[in-house]
Amino acid sequence: MKLTEGQREALERAQKGESFKVVAMAGAGKTTTLRAIAEALPGPILYLAFNSSVAREARTKFPNNTAVSTLHSLAFRNFLKDRPEMLLKFEERAGVILVKDIMEYLDLPQELYGIPRFGLASAVKATLERFLTSAEPAPTPNMVPGTLLSLVEEKRKPKLTAAVLGFTQAAWEAMRNPGHPMPLSHEGYVRLWAEAGAPGLDRFRTVLVDEAQDLSPSLLNPLLAYYQKGGQIIAVGDPNQAIYGWRGAVDALTRLPGEEVYLPESFRFGPEVAGYAQAILEAKGWRGPALKGLGGPSKVVQGVGLPRAGTAWLYRTNAEVVKMAAELAAKGYGIEVVGGLEATARLIEAGVELIEGKRPKHPELAVFKDYREFWQAAEMDPNLKSLRNLLDRYGKRCLDLVQEAQKGTKKKRVDYILSTTHKAKGLEWDSVLLGDDYPDSDAGEELNLRYVAATRARKVLDVRHW
Protein backbone atom coordinates (compact mmCIF):
# COMPACT_ATOMS: atom_id res chain seq x y z
CA MET A 1 0.00 0.00 0.00
CA LYS A 2 1.63 3.24 -1.19
CA LEU A 3 1.06 6.12 1.22
CA THR A 4 1.13 9.85 0.53
CA GLU A 5 3.50 12.15 2.34
CA GLY A 6 0.79 13.16 4.81
CA GLN A 7 -0.21 9.56 5.44
CA ARG A 8 3.41 8.59 6.09
CA GLU A 9 3.78 11.49 8.54
CA ALA A 10 0.61 10.38 10.36
CA LEU A 11 1.89 6.82 10.57
CA GLU A 12 5.28 7.93 11.91
CA ARG A 13 3.70 10.16 14.57
CA ALA A 14 1.38 7.34 15.62
CA GLN A 15 4.29 4.91 15.97
CA LYS A 16 6.10 7.43 18.18
CA GLY A 17 3.12 7.40 20.53
CA GLU A 18 2.09 11.00 19.74
CA SER A 19 -1.41 12.36 19.99
CA PHE A 20 -2.27 14.48 16.95
CA LYS A 21 -5.00 15.55 14.51
CA VAL A 22 -5.40 14.40 10.90
CA VAL A 23 -7.20 16.91 8.66
CA ALA A 24 -8.40 14.54 5.94
CA MET A 25 -10.15 16.33 3.08
CA ALA A 26 -12.94 14.75 1.04
CA GLY A 27 -11.89 11.43 -0.48
CA ALA A 28 -8.37 11.64 0.97
CA GLY A 29 -8.07 8.01 2.01
CA LYS A 30 -9.02 8.52 5.64
CA THR A 31 -9.95 4.88 6.22
CA THR A 32 -6.74 3.72 4.51
CA THR A 33 -4.72 5.98 6.82
CA LEU A 34 -6.48 4.80 9.96
CA ARG A 35 -6.18 1.16 8.96
CA ALA A 36 -2.43 1.61 8.34
CA ILE A 37 -2.07 3.17 11.79
CA ALA A 38 -4.07 0.38 13.44
CA GLU A 39 -1.99 -2.29 11.71
CA ALA A 40 1.25 -0.65 12.86
CA LEU A 41 0.36 -0.13 16.53
CA PRO A 42 0.03 -2.58 19.40
CA GLY A 43 -3.50 -2.99 20.70
CA PRO A 44 -5.90 -2.63 22.12
CA ILE A 45 -7.13 0.21 19.90
CA LEU A 46 -10.58 1.81 19.85
CA TYR A 47 -11.96 3.25 16.61
CA LEU A 48 -14.88 5.57 17.39
CA ALA A 49 -17.14 5.70 14.32
CA PHE A 50 -19.57 8.54 13.64
CA ASN A 51 -22.60 6.28 13.11
CA SER A 52 -23.60 2.62 12.95
CA SER A 53 -23.29 2.28 9.17
CA VAL A 54 -19.69 3.54 9.27
CA ALA A 55 -18.99 1.17 12.16
CA ARG A 56 -20.36 -1.83 10.25
CA GLU A 57 -18.11 -1.13 7.27
CA ALA A 58 -15.07 -0.44 9.48
CA ARG A 59 -15.40 -3.84 11.17
CA THR A 60 -14.65 -5.48 7.83
CA LYS A 61 -11.49 -3.42 7.29
CA PHE A 62 -9.70 -2.99 10.61
CA PRO A 63 -7.35 -5.57 12.17
CA ASN A 64 -8.23 -7.72 15.17
CA ASN A 65 -6.37 -5.42 17.59
CA THR A 66 -8.99 -2.71 16.95
CA ALA A 67 -12.42 -2.54 18.54
CA VAL A 68 -14.91 -0.62 16.39
CA SER A 69 -17.75 1.21 18.12
CA THR A 70 -19.96 4.26 17.99
CA LEU A 71 -19.99 6.54 20.99
CA HIS A 72 -23.50 5.44 21.88
CA SER A 73 -22.74 1.72 21.72
CA LEU A 74 -19.60 2.25 23.82
CA ALA A 75 -21.64 4.03 26.50
CA PHE A 76 -24.41 1.44 26.25
CA ARG A 77 -22.08 -1.51 26.79
CA ASN A 78 -20.02 0.06 29.55
CA PHE A 79 -22.73 1.90 31.47
CA LEU A 80 -26.36 1.33 30.56
CA LYS A 81 -26.62 -2.44 30.12
CA ASP A 82 -25.45 -3.06 33.71
CA ARG A 83 -28.15 -0.79 35.18
CA PRO A 84 -31.49 -2.62 34.69
CA GLU A 85 -33.74 0.21 35.90
CA MET A 86 -32.08 2.78 33.64
CA LEU A 87 -32.08 0.32 30.76
CA LEU A 88 -35.83 -0.12 31.17
CA LYS A 89 -36.36 3.66 31.06
CA PHE A 90 -34.46 3.71 27.79
CA GLU A 91 -36.06 0.68 26.18
CA GLU A 92 -39.65 1.68 26.95
CA ARG A 93 -39.38 4.54 24.48
CA ALA A 94 -36.31 3.55 22.42
CA GLY A 95 -34.41 6.55 23.69
CA VAL A 96 -36.84 9.19 22.40
CA ILE A 97 -38.04 12.19 24.42
CA LEU A 98 -41.15 13.97 23.13
CA VAL A 99 -42.79 17.28 23.95
CA LYS A 100 -45.65 15.36 25.54
CA ASP A 101 -43.20 13.80 28.02
CA ILE A 102 -42.13 17.25 29.17
CA MET A 103 -45.76 18.26 29.55
CA GLU A 104 -46.71 15.05 31.35
CA TYR A 105 -43.86 14.78 33.85
CA LEU A 106 -43.08 18.42 34.65
CA ASP A 107 -45.30 20.84 36.54
CA LEU A 108 -45.47 23.45 33.79
CA PRO A 109 -47.90 26.39 34.07
CA GLN A 110 -50.69 26.67 31.55
CA GLU A 111 -49.15 29.93 30.42
CA LEU A 112 -46.05 31.95 31.28
CA TYR A 113 -45.61 35.54 30.06
CA GLY A 114 -48.03 34.80 27.24
CA ILE A 115 -46.24 31.58 26.21
CA PRO A 116 -48.71 28.64 26.21
CA ARG A 117 -47.82 25.39 27.96
CA PHE A 118 -46.99 23.49 24.76
CA GLY A 119 -44.64 26.30 23.66
CA LEU A 120 -42.87 26.25 27.00
CA ALA A 121 -42.55 22.46 26.82
CA SER A 122 -41.07 22.70 23.32
CA ALA A 123 -38.49 25.21 24.55
CA VAL A 124 -37.59 22.98 27.52
CA LYS A 125 -37.15 19.98 25.20
CA ALA A 126 -34.87 21.97 22.87
CA THR A 127 -32.85 23.31 25.81
CA LEU A 128 -32.55 19.82 27.30
CA GLU A 129 -31.24 18.40 24.01
CA ARG A 130 -28.59 21.11 23.78
CA PHE A 131 -27.56 20.59 27.38
CA LEU A 132 -27.22 16.81 27.06
CA THR A 133 -24.72 17.09 24.19
CA SER A 134 -22.78 19.92 25.85
CA ALA A 135 -19.83 19.75 28.19
CA GLU A 136 -21.50 22.15 30.65
CA PRO A 137 -22.32 20.91 34.18
CA ALA A 138 -25.76 22.56 34.10
CA PRO A 139 -28.05 24.17 31.50
CA THR A 140 -26.92 27.68 30.52
CA PRO A 141 -28.83 30.69 29.14
CA ASN A 142 -27.36 30.35 25.64
CA MET A 143 -29.09 26.96 25.33
CA VAL A 144 -32.56 28.51 25.55
CA PRO A 145 -34.01 28.98 22.03
CA GLY A 146 -33.81 32.59 20.91
CA THR A 147 -37.10 32.13 19.08
CA LEU A 148 -38.81 31.67 22.45
CA LEU A 149 -37.26 34.78 23.97
CA SER A 150 -38.22 36.84 20.93
CA LEU A 151 -41.88 36.32 21.86
CA VAL A 152 -41.70 38.36 25.08
CA GLU A 153 -40.77 41.89 26.13
CA GLU A 154 -37.12 42.59 26.88
CA LYS A 155 -37.71 43.01 30.61
CA ARG A 156 -39.28 39.54 30.86
CA LYS A 157 -36.52 37.67 29.00
CA PRO A 158 -34.29 37.06 32.08
CA LYS A 159 -37.18 35.60 34.10
CA LEU A 160 -38.38 33.46 31.19
CA THR A 161 -34.82 32.22 30.66
CA ALA A 162 -34.49 31.33 34.33
CA ALA A 163 -37.81 29.48 34.26
CA VAL A 164 -36.83 27.41 31.20
CA LEU A 165 -33.46 26.57 32.75
CA GLY A 166 -35.17 25.48 35.96
CA PHE A 167 -37.59 23.21 34.11
CA THR A 168 -34.73 21.84 32.00
CA GLN A 169 -32.75 20.96 35.13
CA ALA A 170 -35.86 19.30 36.57
CA ALA A 171 -36.30 17.29 33.36
CA TRP A 172 -32.69 16.09 33.54
CA GLU A 173 -33.03 15.10 37.20
CA ALA A 174 -36.18 13.15 36.34
CA MET A 175 -34.49 11.49 33.38
CA ARG A 176 -31.50 10.33 35.42
CA ASN A 177 -33.66 9.13 38.34
CA PRO A 178 -34.16 5.33 38.00
CA GLY A 179 -37.48 5.53 39.83
CA HIS A 180 -38.98 8.34 37.71
CA PRO A 181 -41.12 7.54 34.63
CA MET A 182 -39.42 10.21 32.48
CA PRO A 183 -37.84 8.26 29.56
CA LEU A 184 -34.07 8.15 29.15
CA SER A 185 -32.75 9.39 25.80
CA HIS A 186 -29.71 8.25 23.83
CA GLU A 187 -27.85 11.45 24.65
CA GLY A 188 -28.96 11.11 28.26
CA TYR A 189 -27.19 7.82 28.90
CA VAL A 190 -24.10 9.02 26.99
CA ARG A 191 -23.92 11.97 29.37
CA LEU A 192 -24.36 9.70 32.40
CA TRP A 193 -21.56 7.50 31.05
CA ALA A 194 -19.31 10.54 30.67
CA GLU A 195 -20.16 11.78 34.18
CA ALA A 196 -19.28 8.34 35.54
CA GLY A 197 -15.74 8.74 34.17
CA ALA A 198 -16.35 7.12 30.76
CA PRO A 199 -15.85 3.51 31.93
CA GLY A 200 -14.35 1.29 29.26
CA LEU A 201 -12.34 4.04 27.58
CA ASP A 202 -9.21 3.48 29.64
CA ARG A 203 -8.93 -0.15 28.48
CA PHE A 204 -7.43 1.07 25.20
CA ARG A 205 -3.88 2.21 24.46
CA THR A 206 -5.02 4.33 21.51
CA VAL A 207 -8.33 5.93 20.54
CA LEU A 208 -9.01 6.86 16.92
CA VAL A 209 -11.75 9.50 16.79
CA ASP A 210 -13.43 9.67 13.37
CA GLU A 211 -15.40 12.67 12.04
CA ALA A 212 -13.99 14.81 14.85
CA GLN A 213 -15.36 17.96 13.20
CA ASP A 214 -18.87 16.86 14.25
CA LEU A 215 -18.08 15.56 17.72
CA SER A 216 -20.54 15.93 20.55
CA PRO A 217 -19.05 18.26 23.21
CA SER A 218 -20.12 15.75 25.87
CA LEU A 219 -17.30 13.45 24.72
CA LEU A 220 -14.58 16.10 24.86
CA ASN A 221 -14.03 15.99 28.61
CA PRO A 222 -13.73 12.17 28.77
CA LEU A 223 -11.27 12.22 25.86
CA LEU A 224 -9.19 14.96 27.44
CA ALA A 225 -9.19 13.07 30.76
CA TYR A 226 -8.11 9.92 28.90
CA TYR A 227 -5.26 11.87 27.30
CA GLN A 228 -4.17 13.35 30.66
CA LYS A 229 -3.86 9.79 31.98
CA GLY A 230 -1.43 8.92 29.19
CA GLY A 231 -3.77 7.66 26.47
CA GLN A 232 -2.99 8.30 22.81
CA ILE A 233 -5.66 10.17 20.82
CA ILE A 234 -5.61 10.43 17.03
CA ALA A 235 -8.50 12.60 15.90
CA VAL A 236 -9.47 12.57 12.24
CA GLY A 237 -11.81 14.93 10.44
CA ASP A 238 -12.37 17.82 8.04
CA PRO A 239 -13.58 21.18 9.37
CA ASN A 240 -14.97 21.89 5.89
CA GLN A 241 -17.42 19.03 6.35
CA ALA A 242 -18.82 20.27 9.68
CA ILE A 243 -22.60 20.28 9.06
CA TYR A 244 -24.10 19.48 12.46
CA GLY A 245 -23.53 22.72 14.36
CA TRP A 246 -27.32 23.18 14.48
CA ARG A 247 -27.56 20.28 16.91
CA GLY A 248 -24.63 21.32 19.09
CA ALA A 249 -21.68 19.58 17.42
CA VAL A 250 -18.24 21.20 17.75
CA ASP A 251 -15.00 20.91 15.82
CA ALA A 252 -12.92 18.86 18.24
CA LEU A 253 -9.90 19.21 15.95
CA THR A 254 -9.39 22.64 17.49
CA ARG A 255 -9.71 21.39 21.08
CA LEU A 256 -7.98 18.02 21.20
CA PRO A 257 -4.22 17.78 21.79
CA GLY A 258 -1.40 17.61 19.23
CA GLU A 259 -0.33 19.10 15.94
CA GLU A 260 -2.18 18.85 12.63
CA VAL A 261 -1.28 16.57 9.74
CA TYR A 262 -2.98 17.40 6.43
CA LEU A 263 -4.21 14.95 3.80
CA PRO A 264 -5.21 17.19 0.85
CA GLU A 265 -5.04 14.54 -1.90
CA SER A 266 -8.44 13.14 -2.92
CA PHE A 267 -8.54 9.74 -4.58
CA ARG A 268 -12.29 9.99 -5.19
CA PHE A 269 -12.33 12.43 -8.11
CA GLY A 270 -10.07 14.21 -10.58
CA PRO A 271 -8.88 17.84 -10.93
CA GLU A 272 -12.13 19.32 -12.32
CA VAL A 273 -14.32 18.30 -9.41
CA ALA A 274 -11.51 19.19 -7.02
CA GLY A 275 -11.33 22.66 -8.59
CA TYR A 276 -15.05 23.24 -8.09
CA ALA A 277 -14.84 22.12 -4.47
CA GLN A 278 -11.73 24.24 -3.90
CA ALA A 279 -13.63 27.33 -5.09
CA ILE A 280 -16.18 26.69 -2.33
CA LEU A 281 -13.36 26.39 0.21
CA GLU A 282 -11.86 29.69 -0.95
CA ALA A 283 -15.26 31.37 -0.63
CA LYS A 284 -15.33 30.38 3.05
CA GLY A 285 -11.77 31.56 3.66
CA TRP A 286 -10.06 28.17 3.95
CA ARG A 287 -6.38 28.68 4.83
CA GLY A 288 -5.24 25.08 4.64
CA PRO A 289 -3.68 23.32 1.63
CA ALA A 290 -5.58 23.19 -1.64
CA LEU A 291 -7.65 20.13 -2.44
CA LYS A 292 -5.94 17.97 -5.07
CA GLY A 293 -7.93 15.62 -7.30
CA LEU A 294 -5.89 12.48 -7.92
CA GLY A 295 -8.77 10.16 -8.81
CA GLY A 296 -9.82 9.02 -12.25
CA PRO A 297 -11.18 11.32 -14.97
CA SER A 298 -13.94 13.60 -13.70
CA LYS A 299 -15.80 16.58 -15.08
CA VAL A 300 -18.08 19.38 -13.97
CA VAL A 301 -21.04 19.95 -16.29
CA GLN A 302 -24.08 22.20 -16.51
CA GLY A 303 -26.52 19.63 -17.75
CA VAL A 304 -29.89 20.05 -19.41
CA GLY A 305 -32.76 17.61 -19.10
CA LEU A 306 -32.54 14.38 -17.14
CA PRO A 307 -29.01 13.33 -16.13
CA ARG A 308 -27.51 9.91 -16.76
CA ALA A 309 -29.11 6.90 -15.08
CA GLY A 310 -27.75 6.20 -11.63
CA THR A 311 -27.21 9.87 -10.81
CA ALA A 312 -27.65 10.91 -7.18
CA TRP A 313 -29.70 14.10 -6.78
CA LEU A 314 -28.59 15.89 -3.61
CA TYR A 315 -30.68 18.56 -1.91
CA ARG A 316 -30.46 20.84 1.09
CA THR A 317 -33.95 20.05 2.38
CA ASN A 318 -36.33 17.12 2.78
CA ALA A 319 -38.99 19.16 1.00
CA GLU A 320 -37.09 19.12 -2.28
CA VAL A 321 -36.23 15.44 -1.94
CA VAL A 322 -39.92 14.56 -1.56
CA LYS A 323 -40.96 16.87 -4.41
CA MET A 324 -38.37 15.57 -6.89
CA ALA A 325 -38.97 11.96 -5.85
CA ALA A 326 -42.66 12.44 -6.65
CA GLU A 327 -41.91 14.07 -10.01
CA LEU A 328 -39.54 11.30 -11.10
CA ALA A 329 -41.90 8.58 -9.90
CA ALA A 330 -44.79 10.16 -11.81
CA LYS A 331 -42.71 9.85 -14.98
CA GLY A 332 -42.22 6.14 -14.33
CA TYR A 333 -38.69 6.19 -12.99
CA GLY A 334 -37.56 3.91 -10.20
CA ILE A 335 -36.01 5.79 -7.32
CA GLU A 336 -34.16 5.19 -4.09
CA VAL A 337 -34.36 7.69 -1.26
CA VAL A 338 -31.40 7.47 1.12
CA GLY A 339 -32.79 6.79 4.58
CA GLY A 340 -36.19 5.80 3.19
CA LEU A 341 -39.50 7.66 3.13
CA GLU A 342 -41.48 5.76 5.75
CA ALA A 343 -40.78 8.03 8.74
CA THR A 344 -41.28 11.15 6.61
CA ALA A 345 -44.56 9.81 5.28
CA ARG A 346 -45.93 9.18 8.77
CA LEU A 347 -45.01 12.68 9.91
CA ILE A 348 -46.55 14.24 6.80
CA GLU A 349 -49.79 12.32 7.33
CA ALA A 350 -49.97 13.58 10.92
CA GLY A 351 -49.15 17.14 9.83
CA VAL A 352 -51.92 17.12 7.23
CA GLU A 353 -54.33 15.90 9.92
CA LEU A 354 -53.45 19.02 11.93
CA ILE A 355 -54.07 21.19 8.87
CA GLU A 356 -57.48 19.52 8.53
CA GLY A 357 -58.31 20.25 12.16
CA LYS A 358 -57.90 16.67 13.34
CA ARG A 359 -55.91 15.45 16.35
CA PRO A 360 -53.14 13.17 15.03
CA LYS A 361 -52.08 9.97 16.78
CA HIS A 362 -48.43 10.30 15.79
CA PRO A 363 -46.48 10.50 19.10
CA GLU A 364 -44.50 13.58 18.05
CA LEU A 365 -47.56 15.58 16.98
CA ALA A 366 -50.32 14.22 19.22
CA VAL A 367 -49.62 16.94 21.79
CA PHE A 368 -50.81 19.72 19.47
CA LYS A 369 -54.50 20.50 19.29
CA ASP A 370 -54.24 22.42 16.01
CA TYR A 371 -51.81 23.48 13.29
CA ARG A 372 -51.20 26.86 14.92
CA GLU A 373 -49.79 25.24 18.05
CA PHE A 374 -47.59 22.97 15.95
CA TRP A 375 -46.40 25.92 13.86
CA GLN A 376 -45.32 27.88 16.94
CA ALA A 377 -43.61 24.92 18.61
CA ALA A 378 -41.70 24.11 15.40
CA GLU A 379 -39.82 27.40 15.75
CA MET A 380 -37.91 25.78 18.63
CA ASP A 381 -37.41 22.28 17.24
CA PRO A 382 -35.24 21.73 14.11
CA ASN A 383 -36.93 18.41 13.29
CA LEU A 384 -40.43 19.86 13.53
CA LYS A 385 -39.33 22.97 11.63
CA SER A 386 -38.26 20.85 8.68
CA LEU A 387 -41.73 19.28 8.59
CA ARG A 388 -43.38 22.67 9.01
CA ASN A 389 -41.49 24.08 6.02
CA LEU A 390 -42.70 21.17 3.91
CA LEU A 391 -46.32 21.60 5.03
CA ASP A 392 -46.23 25.38 4.62
CA ARG A 393 -44.96 25.00 1.07
CA TYR A 394 -47.23 22.24 -0.22
CA GLY A 395 -50.09 21.99 2.27
CA LYS A 396 -52.35 18.96 1.83
CA ARG A 397 -50.59 18.24 -1.46
CA CYS A 398 -47.76 16.81 0.66
CA LEU A 399 -49.74 13.59 0.95
CA ASP A 400 -49.99 13.22 -2.82
CA LEU A 401 -46.29 13.94 -3.22
CA VAL A 402 -45.09 11.40 -0.67
CA GLN A 403 -47.53 8.73 -1.90
CA GLU A 404 -46.34 9.24 -5.48
CA ALA A 405 -42.73 9.12 -4.34
CA GLN A 406 -43.32 5.86 -2.51
CA LYS A 407 -44.57 4.28 -5.73
CA GLY A 408 -41.21 5.04 -7.31
CA THR A 409 -39.34 3.33 -4.49
CA LYS A 410 -41.27 0.09 -5.10
CA LYS A 411 -40.05 -0.43 -8.66
CA LYS A 412 -37.53 -3.22 -9.23
CA ARG A 413 -35.00 -0.98 -10.96
CA VAL A 414 -33.38 2.16 -9.51
CA ASP A 415 -32.92 4.90 -12.09
CA TYR A 416 -32.06 7.70 -9.68
CA ILE A 417 -31.01 8.16 -6.06
CA LEU A 418 -32.21 11.11 -3.98
CA SER A 419 -30.86 12.35 -0.67
CA THR A 420 -30.39 15.32 1.56
CA THR A 421 -26.76 16.33 2.01
CA HIS A 422 -26.84 15.34 5.67
CA LYS A 423 -27.84 11.78 4.79
CA ALA A 424 -25.34 11.63 1.91
CA LYS A 425 -22.42 12.30 4.24
CA GLY A 426 -19.88 9.52 3.87
CA LEU A 427 -21.41 8.23 0.61
CA GLU A 428 -20.25 8.65 -2.99
CA TRP A 429 -21.59 8.07 -6.51
CA ASP A 430 -20.20 8.19 -10.05
CA SER A 431 -22.62 11.01 -10.98
CA VAL A 432 -24.05 13.70 -8.68
CA LEU A 433 -26.48 16.52 -9.43
CA LEU A 434 -26.57 19.46 -7.01
CA GLY A 435 -30.16 20.49 -6.31
CA ASP A 436 -31.50 24.02 -6.60
CA ASP A 437 -32.30 24.63 -2.93
CA TYR A 438 -28.81 25.37 -1.57
CA PRO A 439 -28.92 29.03 -0.49
CA ASP A 440 -26.49 31.40 -2.16
CA SER A 441 -24.93 32.18 1.20
CA ASP A 442 -21.42 32.76 2.51
CA ALA A 443 -22.35 31.34 5.92
CA GLY A 444 -19.79 28.72 6.94
CA GLU A 445 -22.09 25.76 7.50
CA GLU A 446 -24.10 26.46 4.33
CA LEU A 447 -20.90 26.47 2.26
CA ASN A 448 -19.85 23.28 4.04
CA LEU A 449 -23.09 21.65 2.90
CA ARG A 450 -22.37 22.54 -0.73
CA TYR A 451 -18.81 21.30 -0.35
CA VAL A 452 -19.97 17.98 1.10
CA ALA A 453 -22.54 17.57 -1.69
CA ALA A 454 -20.09 18.41 -4.47
CA THR A 455 -17.44 16.03 -3.19
CA ARG A 456 -19.77 13.01 -3.29
CA ALA A 457 -19.14 12.82 -7.09
CA ARG A 458 -16.53 10.45 -8.50
CA LYS A 459 -16.84 11.12 -12.25
CA VAL A 460 -19.54 13.70 -13.07
CA LEU A 461 -20.72 16.70 -11.05
CA ASP A 462 -23.78 18.42 -12.54
CA VAL A 463 -24.02 22.04 -11.35
CA ARG A 464 -26.77 23.21 -13.69
CA HIS A 465 -28.31 25.34 -10.93
CA TRP A 466 -25.02 27.08 -10.16
Side-chain angles (χ1 to χ4, degrees), residues 59-78:
R59 289 189 185 102
T60 68
K61 296 180 177 180
F62 279 80
N64 292 333
N65 66 344
T66 304
V68 175
S69 177
T70 64
L71 170 62
H72 290 88
S73 61
L74 182 69
F76 185 93
R77 289 193 310 273
N78 291 280

Side-chain angles (χ1 to χ4, degrees), residues 9-20 41 232:
E9 181 184 350
L11 182 57
E12 290 169 4
R13 287 180 179 273
Q15 290 175 312
K16 292 177 183 177
E18 295 182 23
S19 290
F20 59 96
L41 296 184
Q232 182 184 28

Side-chain angles (χ1 to χ4, degrees), residues 292-303:
K292 301 174 184 177
L294 302 183
S298 66
K299 57 184 178 179
V300 178
V301 302
Q302 289 186 310

Side-chain angles (χ1 to χ4, degrees), residues 99 122 125-126 129-130 145-148 150-151 246 316-320 344 347-348 351 354 364-365 368 371-394 398 446:
V99 172
S122 297
K125 176 178 177 286
E129 289 171 346
R130 293 177 184 178
T147 48
L148 173 78
S150 68
L151 300 175
W246 55 274
R316 173 70 175 83
T317 62
N318 274 315
E320 286 304 304
T344 300
L347 275 170
I348 286 174
L354 282 171
E364 288 193 62
L365 303 189
F368 306 114
Y371 190 71
R372 177 178 171 274
E373 283 192 353
F374 160 76
W375 200 97
Q376 292 175 334
E379 273 295 300
M380 289 162 279
D381 188 318
N383 295 320
L384 292 183
K385 194 168 187 177
S386 175
L387 173 63
R388 189 190 75 178
N389 292 341
L390 187 63
L391 293 168
D392 281 354
R393 182 169 181 178
Y394 298 111
C398 282
E446 290 298 337

Side-chain angles (χ1 to χ4, degrees), residues 441-457:
S441 166
D442 59 1
E445 193 152 312
E446 290 298 337
L447 287 173
N448 285 357
L449 281 164
R450 279 181 55 198
Y451 172 77
V452 169
T455 55
R456 300 309 95 196

